[in-house]
Amino acid sequence: GLRHGLEGVAPDVVARACIGYLWGFDLYARGQDMPQLRTSEVRPPIMGTLGAASTWTVTLWPATETARSKTGLQDLTAMLGVHPLRQWLRQLAPMVLQAAQGSRLLLNITEQEYLSLFHRLRELAGLQPSHPHRSRHGGPSMDAMGLGTNTMPPWATDLALAERGGWKQSRSIL
């Protein structure tokens, strides 16, 4: 089974990494973004508000730090689980935050562990060689095609997708 092949890896480490893979797909994150996500940058909804503040948000590359994204951006904030088929990801947020209590980094896993575990899980699942960075384009591709929706949602325009993913040019999205 899946547990065979993961000897020596604590179940909570596997769970945290999987949260990173799922949230990374949804947030259009680069492979190295999720292990660097700070616990303080996952924010719950503010009741009685509209827009981004009305749901869970995640900020990658906060301006309070010196690090920047590959394209030199900071404060890339996105709403978690905007797509109807991925709204369930929001339900995980309180549990993920609780599990990370006291930790500066949400996943509390190194980039090397994150990547290594990705490859081990992919191999155990019998999937072709890949990299977490590939999922960065999976989320926007799903969103741009309107999969799981009846109409093209306003958050799925090329401009909105480029902003959400921190792409400088919309042609880089897909």
Side-chain angles (χ1 to χ4, degrees):
L2 184 60
R3 197 63 207 142
H4 182 72
L6 291 176
E7 294 86 0
V9 182
D12 65 311
V13 172
V14 174
R16 288 193 312 267
C18 288
I19 292 293
Y21 307 139
L22 292 168
W23 283 17
F25 179 89
D26 185 63
L27 298 168
Y28 314 163
R30 289 181 175 83
Q32 74 273 16
D33 290 351
M34 296 312 293
Q36 297 177 31
L37 177 60
R38 286 150 189 79
T39 304
S40 61
E41 300 304 325
V42 178
R43 295 185 186 85
I46 299 170
M47 297 306 188
T49 60
L50 299 174
S54 68
T55 190
W56 285 90
T57 58
V58 176
T59 300
L60 300 171
W61 305 103
T64 55
E65 303 284 333
T66 57
R68 295 179 177 271
S69 74
K70 177 183 169 186
T71 54
L73 301 174
Q74 289 185 304
D75 280 341
L76 294 174
T77 300
M79 295 182 290
L80 184 63
V82 173
H83 191 285
L85 295 178
R86 298 192 306 265
Q87 289 178 354
W88 60 273
L89 292 172
R90 297 178 197 167
Q91 296 170 358
L92 299 175
M95 294 175 278
V96 172
L97 276 180
Q98 184 177 1
Q101 212 169 28
S103 176
R104 183 167 111 32
L105 298 177
L106 184 74
L107 302 179
N108 204 17
I109 186 172
T110 68
E111 190 175 335
Q112 183 180 2
E113 291 169 318
Y114 186 77
L115 184 59
S116 174
L117 194 51
F118 177 86
H119 291 303
R120 286 172 75 180
L121 290 167
R122 176 202 50 77
E123 205 171 278
L124 287 169
L127 300 173
Q128 294 295 317
S130 189
H131 191 279
H133 186 81
R134 280 192 176 170
S135 71
R136 170 169 167 73
H137 298 278
S141 293
M142 178 182 187
D143 295 349
M145 290 186 283
L147 297 177
T149 61
N150 294 329
T151 60
M152 184 58 68
W155 43 262
T157 65
D158 283 353
L159 178 60
L161 295 174
E163 285 177 1
R164 179 177 171 90
W167 284 286
K168 288 193 174 182
Q169 299 176 357
S170 59
R171 72 172 184 249
S172 300
I173 299 168
L174 309 175

